[in-house]
Amino acid sequence: MSAARLRELLLSRGREWPAALESFEVLDSTNDVMRERAKDGAAPWSAVVADRQSAGRGRRGRAWASPPGNLYLSVLAGAPSQPRWRPLVPLVGGLAVAEALAEFGVEAGLKWPNDVLAGGRKLAGVSAEASFGGGGPEWIVLGVGVNVGVNPGTVDPGLVGRATSILELTGAAPDRLAVAAALLIRLHDRHAELEAGAGGALLDAWRARSVAWWGRAVEVVSGEQALRGVALGVDDGGALLLRLADGRTETILAGEARELRLDE
Ligand code: BTN
């Protein structure tokens, strides 16, 4: 993949990209490089793509299978200046990814906080790693992995039946740089809306794309805690509302949720 070509693709869509774009054949993790760039003072919207990663990271310390053929991208986003919108950044990341993938014929759904699913299988993942200064987060590295041409279940037995790819869903693997360009534009525009204070409208757009599991039994792992209950929805701060067995409603700011099977 070539960063120069990514810049041209963006320009052909009317975007003169405001920051550095870099491409690599292989990296441990695009997130690590982007974090280094951020510490060195990189401009917001700097981005890094790689053909493959040797130590790709998922959320909660999991590995992210990163064979050649898929897209691995990290982009530096500023933290929204209004603190109340900051918790929405991960959700807006997932929303922007799902919207960008629609350009390639895929209708993806969102599972709180930001899993991008198609037919119940994972198509893309988004991570948000923030750096905190005295006054709150200073910058956020959004890391996006999109299964473009390879279903990771074919390289990682643990993912069999749980992942899919654009190729599997549509019969064609689009140009990964075209996917990267669509993602960057969507992330940039949705983030600008958040900065402009449109968090409520963004949450409505997120809810409209969320997978239909409201009212279902789920387990949420948040920090060291695993909570079971009924998923009620997402509140105006982007937190998951979970009704516990004792009738209380728990507000969960961050974590990982999965639907429970009937026998669990
Ligand atoms: C998840 O667990 O769903 C988040 C996955 C995020 C993976 C991407 S791939 C590009 C970037 N580099 C990484 O090491 N992780 C993110």
Side-chain angles (χ1 to χ4, degrees), residues 29-31 53 55-59 62 64 71-74 115 122 124-127 143-145:
S29 160
T30 55
N31 274 5
Q53 301 181 115
R57 281 199 305 278
R59 291 198 310 271
R62 282 188 307 252
W64 183 259
L71 175 65
Y72 312 104
L73 174 146
S74 295
D115 280 339
K122 191 132 163 176
V126 182
S127 62
V144 185

Side-chain angles (χ1 to χ4, degrees), residues 134-146:
E138 287 170 340
W139 44 257
I140 300 167
V141 170
L142 287 172
V144 185
V146 182

